[in-house]
Amino acid sequence: MEEQVGQLWHRFITRAATTHYPAATVELTAVSRTVGVLFRAGGGDAGLRIEATTATTHGARRSWLQRLAGSHQQVELCWRDTEALRLPAQINWFPERQLNYDLYLWLAVLAAGPTDLNLPWFSLNQQLTQDRLTRFPGLQSRYERLVAAQLALRPDPQQLPTDEAAQELAIQQALRQPGSVTELPPAKRPHQPVYLWLHPSPPLLPNQSSKISTPEATSTPQTRNNTQKVNRRRRGEYTPMPDGKKGLLAFRLESLFTLAEYVKVDRCTDEEEDTQAAKQALDDLEQVSVARDNQTAAASLRFDLDLPAPTHDNTRIGEGILLPEWDYKRQQLRPDYCCLQPMLAAAAPPVELPPHLRRTAQRLRHQFEALIPTRTWYKNQPEGSEIDLDAYLRQLTEYRQGKMDVERGLYRDFRRGSRNLACLLLADLSLSTDAWINNTARVIDIIRDSLFLFAEALATTGDQFALYGFSSRHRSHIRFHILKEFTQTYNALIRGRIQAIKPDFYTRMGAAIRHASSLLRQQPASQHLLLLLTDGKPNDLDQYEGRYGIEDTRMALHEARKQGLQPFCVTIDETASDYLPHLFGTQSYVVIRKPSDLPRELPLLYARLTQAK
């Protein structure tokens, strides 16, 4: 009974203290695509992701009802770093939905400006506002409506102490006329948040590589569905493991002291019964602390991800190939920074095509027979199956007229044409492909079936093609699996290599793309198609995670295009639209929404990409 009364009281007082408008809520997931386009069109960095920000404590004055409810202590404000543009997960500060939508657009344009200026927060936001309104005058009326809505939510300076009133007047004047106020007067208490400006002190991590990610940010294909999820960055820190002995908290509530003791609990999210409650608990934390428990789990993890013993590993071909890597922070290539190791399956006996693929393969072979160049007459040939009468008569006429300069071919031959193209398919074989989709099939099984059908279809046309797979473990060991080379004929031995593929390690795309490009450009053809088959973005154990890996992959693709190659990406990653346009462009990738369709769609996609050649 007491618990029910407490819940009712909590809902009542929280609802009474709120100043938001739930009916006018606009979600970031609904406008992320529009916001991304507007941010990049406004001059923003094309490599930044669009993510939900984390709430931070503002410390501003609150009403007595808000203090009683314990609410309005944190706020989500816009900011950006080298990885992403971070916007509130939802905006419902204004009573009109259109105003909340316009605020998303305004923040995207504002954040696209030059925020590297060495200015204080107060002056920086005014200068950014001036710059944006000058460059995009069409935003003036929208900005004025947002300012009017923002001022309606600001506190009345007459009801504030002198120092806070002076500060509030300066902020309101800066909102009405950006650039008219040079300095923000000091005050003992922080000012109310300014929704139209960037975060005054964004919670940047001192070491981006040690960030704490939520389950949404590290989801695998087994958790993918049609619902959109918001990636949210958490501030994190590593802390020593509590010993369970220091637990006295001087928490005064009606003169009562509470004794709290740390309890070691192995809380596994896979076995969590109330996952929604766990997520809400995480949402309430402004900073997540992580401690190393003991060495058992860490040792087991290292064993699982360590390289296999040479006696159980695939056969290494050569001593490895040194390749460069692009460092976007230094804006230069690091020569001989990565080592790529070509590998061949050690135990891959010849196999026949799996029975469940034979009917589809037969249908694809019939469809791809239409791509086989038809037999036509080749005239004016120096050699051929019969005399070309037209050429003979023209030559005889010119000879009698004294106009004969060079001898022409007098034969014609009936033979098949040539498509004159080469395709290299590079498959991602990282550990993420071991995940299950809808508990029916693993990603690696879908990739394997796709390779089978792709090879069956291209073997019908006679096109030059090669198949490779890749994974990585640090920059010093990038595994490049040889499935079929250009000079090899597709047969049972190649099928055995495809059957033997398995997921392992991580996804260092840049080096794999560079080596694949080198192999492809050596083929004599008029069209060189580089197909990348993947289920996620680039990553590895070192700094290759995040923006670094994205930019290295983008540079590798840029180098491939300069060599005359045509890169194209096929992915089943539902979040691919956040980063693939930056990597491949808007017309050079496709997202397969239903992964089970990949084996059938991949050969047909190849046909569409090459039929005009």
Side-chain angles (χ1 to χ4, degrees):
M1 183 65 181
E2 294 179 358
E3 183 178 355
Q4 294 179 353
V5 172
Q7 292 177 351
L8 290 173
W9 167 254
H10 174 73
R11 286 198 295 267
F12 170 76
I13 197 65
T14 302
R15 192 175 304 163
T18 186
T19 57
H20 298 164
Y21 300 89
T25 299
V26 177
E27 301 282 348
L28 177 59
T29 54
V31 299
S32 59
R33 186 178 297 273
T34 303
V35 165
V37 171
L38 190 60
F39 172 72
R40 295 173 179 93
D45 191 339
L48 298 186
R49 305 185 304 273
I50 306 298
E51 287 189 358
T53 185
T54 181
T56 54
T57 303
H58 54 76
R61 187 180 296 275
R62 295 182 295 157
S63 67
W64 70 271
L65 196 57
Q66 292 170 354
R67 295 197 301 272
L68 181 64
S71 61
H72 293 73
Q73 300 182 57
Q74 297 181 332
V75 65
E76 294 184 1
L77 297 175
C78 174
W79 56 286
R80 87 179 198 198
D81 58 14
T82 59
E83 296 287 339
L85 168 64
R86 311 188 189 281
L87 295 162
Q90 62 180 21
I91 294 181
N92 52 16
W93 296 317
F94 303 135
E96 298 180 19
R97 180 179 175 84
Q98 184 61 43
L99 287 172
N100 294 319
Y101 175 80
D102 290 345
L103 181 56
Y104 267 124
L105 303 185
W106 168 252
L107 291 175
V109 174
L110 187 71
T115 57
D116 55 348
L117 302 176
N118 188 19
L119 293 174
W121 165 81
F122 186 67
S123 301
L124 173 63
N125 279 281
Q126 291 186 78
Q127 183 162 334
L128 280 176
T129 303
Q130 284 184 301
D131 175 77
R132 301 288 91 182
L133 293 179
T134 301
R135 185 174 178 183
F136 306 105
L139 294 174
Q140 183 67 44
S141 59
R142 180 169 295 174
Y143 175 75
E144 292 176 356
R145 293 196 302 271
L146 289 172
V147 168
Q150 170 74 99
L151 294 178
L153 302 179
R154 306 293 301 177
D156 186 358
Q158 297 181 358
Q159 300 179 1
L160 297 174
T162 305
D163 58 341
E164 295 181 35
Q167 191 176 74
E168 182 61 30
L169 287 172
I171 292 176
Q172 294 188 15
Q173 177 64 21
L175 285 170
R176 293 190 185 94
Q177 299 179 353
S180 61
V181 185
T182 58
E183 294 183 358
L184 182 66
K188 295 181 180 180
R189 183 183 292 272
H191 56 79
Q192 291 291 332
V194 184
Y195 303 142
L196 272 64
W197 288 353
L198 302 183
H199 202 301
S201 55
L204 295 174
L205 296 175
N207 184 3
Q208 294 291 345
S209 62
S210 61
K211 63 181 178 291
I212 307 299
S213 300
T214 61
E216 292 88 348
T218 56
S219 62
T220 57
Q222 65 181 351
T223 61
R224 295 189 181 110
N225 50 41
N226 293 329
T227 60
Q228 290 181 306
K229 297 181 179 180
V230 178
N231 293 330
R232 188 187 297 271
R233 175 66 61 87
R234 311 291 181 186
R235 283 196 294 172
E237 65 171 0
Y238 288 101
T239 184
M241 191 68 178
D243 56 8
K245 298 179 180 179
K246 299 178 181 180
L248 183 61
L249 300 180
F251 175 70
R252 184 176 180 84
L253 177 61
E254 297 180 355
S255 300
L256 295 179
F257 287 89
T258 301
L259 183 66
E261 183 176 357
Y262 173 82
V263 180
K264 294 177 64 175
V265 177
D266 184 11
R267 185 172 184 177
C268 178
T269 56
D270 293 337
E271 299 177 358
E272 174 65 52
E273 295 181 358
D274 192 353
T275 55
Q276 185 63 27
K279 180 179 181 301
Q280 291 177 355
L282 179 62
D283 289 339
D284 293 337
L285 296 177
E286 182 178 347
Q287 182 163 312
V288 181
S289 298
V290 178
R292 186 179 296 278
D293 188 357
N294 50 49
Q295 298 300 320
T296 304
S300 174
L301 183 63
R302 181 177 179 83
F303 175 80
D304 291 339
L305 297 184
D306 208 349
L307 296 176
T311 55
H312 299 283
D313 199 6
N314 292 337
T315 304
R316 302 189 179 192
I317 309 298
E319 297 297 328
I321 303 171
L322 295 179
L323 294 168
E325 188 168 272
W326 175 254
D327 188 338
Y328 83 98
K329 293 182 179 179
R330 300 179 182 179
Q331 289 295 297
Q332 64 181 13
L333 279 172
R334 294 181 173 183
D336 298 339
Y337 190 72
C338 301
C339 182
L340 182 140
Q341 179 61 63
M343 310 193 77
L344 200 61
V351 298
E352 296 299 325
L353 188 68
H356 69 281
L357 297 177
R358 291 175 183 173
R359 178 175 297 181
T360 305
Q362 183 178 7
R363 184 171 64 252
L364 287 173
R365 281 193 291 266
H366 288 317
Q367 292 175 332
F368 271 66
E369 286 176 354
L371 299 178
I372 300 176
T374 57
R375 294 173 60 88
T376 58
W377 283 106
Y378 284 77
K379 299 184 177 181
N380 299 326
Q381 301 298 308
E383 297 180 357
S385 59
E386 59 185 65
I387 296 177
D388 187 348
L389 294 178
D390 293 336
Y392 176 77
L393 291 175
R394 284 196 302 270
Q395 182 172 332
L396 181 61
T397 303
E398 292 176 357
Y399 177 78
R400 290 183 175 180
Q401 294 177 350
K403 300 179 181 179
M404 186 65 179
D405 295 329
V406 295
E407 294 185 1
R408 292 188 175 89
L410 300 179
Y411 299 91
R412 65 175 186 169
D413 193 25
F414 190 63
R415 59 177 182 263
R416 195 179 73 174
S418 175
R419 280 160 58 85
N420 195 24
L421 59 88
C423 175
L424 188 148
L425 190 149
L426 185 61
D428 174 9
L429 303 181
S430 61
L431 198 61
S432 62
T433 61
D434 196 33
W436 287 79
I437 298 179
N438 299 327
N439 295 322
T440 57
R442 294 188 307 165
V443 176
I444 189 65
D445 298 328
I446 294 176
I447 291 178
R448 183 182 294 109
D449 291 349
S450 301
L451 294 176
F452 275 131
L453 295 180
F454 184 79
E456 292 286 335
L458 266 66
T460 303
T461 65
D463 294 342
Q464 302 180 68
F465 73 99
L467 305 175
Y468 296 91
F470 74 98
S471 61
S472 65
R473 186 182 182 274
H474 294 290
R475 62 184 177 91
S476 59
H477 189 82
I478 303 169
R479 302 162 70 86
F480 197 78
H481 302 273
I482 302 173
L483 304 178
K484 180 192 176 300
E485 297 179 307
F486 282 106
T487 57
Q488 294 176 321
T489 303
Y490 177 68
N491 51 30
L493 178 61
I494 303 301
R495 287 193 290 268
R497 294 177 186 173
I498 297 175
Q499 184 65 38
I501 64 173
K502 58 183 179 180
D504 51 12
F505 311 114
Y506 302 93
T507 317
R508 208 176 194 98
M509 285 187 184
I513 291 175
R514 287 186 176 92
H515 185 59
S517 300
S518 175
L519 297 174
L520 181 57
R521 73 168 181 264
Q522 297 175 13
Q523 304 308 310
S526 59
Q527 181 186 9
H528 297 82
L529 179 62
L530 176 60
L531 279 178
L532 179 63
L533 180 59
T534 181
D535 73 324
K537 63 177 63 174
N539 65 10
D540 209 333
L541 289 174
D542 50 18
Q543 78 274 18
Y544 209 78
E545 181 73 27
R547 180 73 182 278
Y548 185 98
I550 291 288
E551 293 300 332
D552 176 58
T553 303
R554 183 171 184 262
M555 179 56 66
L557 293 168
H558 176 69
E559 296 167 0
R561 293 189 185 95
K562 290 179 63 177
Q563 298 168 10
L565 310 183
Q566 179 187 353
F568 195 92
C569 180
V570 182
T571 183
I572 59 174
D573 183 9
E574 293 184 354
T575 64
S577 57
D578 294 338
Y579 60 92
L580 281 188
H582 180 59
L583 292 179
F584 288 87
T586 57
Q587 303 297 324
S588 296
Y589 76 93
V590 64
V591 180
I592 305 297
R593 301 297 178 183
K594 189 176 180 182
S596 58
D597 291 341
L598 178 61
R600 177 176 53 86
E601 292 293 337
L602 182 60
L604 300 179
L605 174 65
Y606 172 83
R608 291 194 294 270
L609 290 173
T610 60
Q611 63 183 355
K613 298 294 181 178

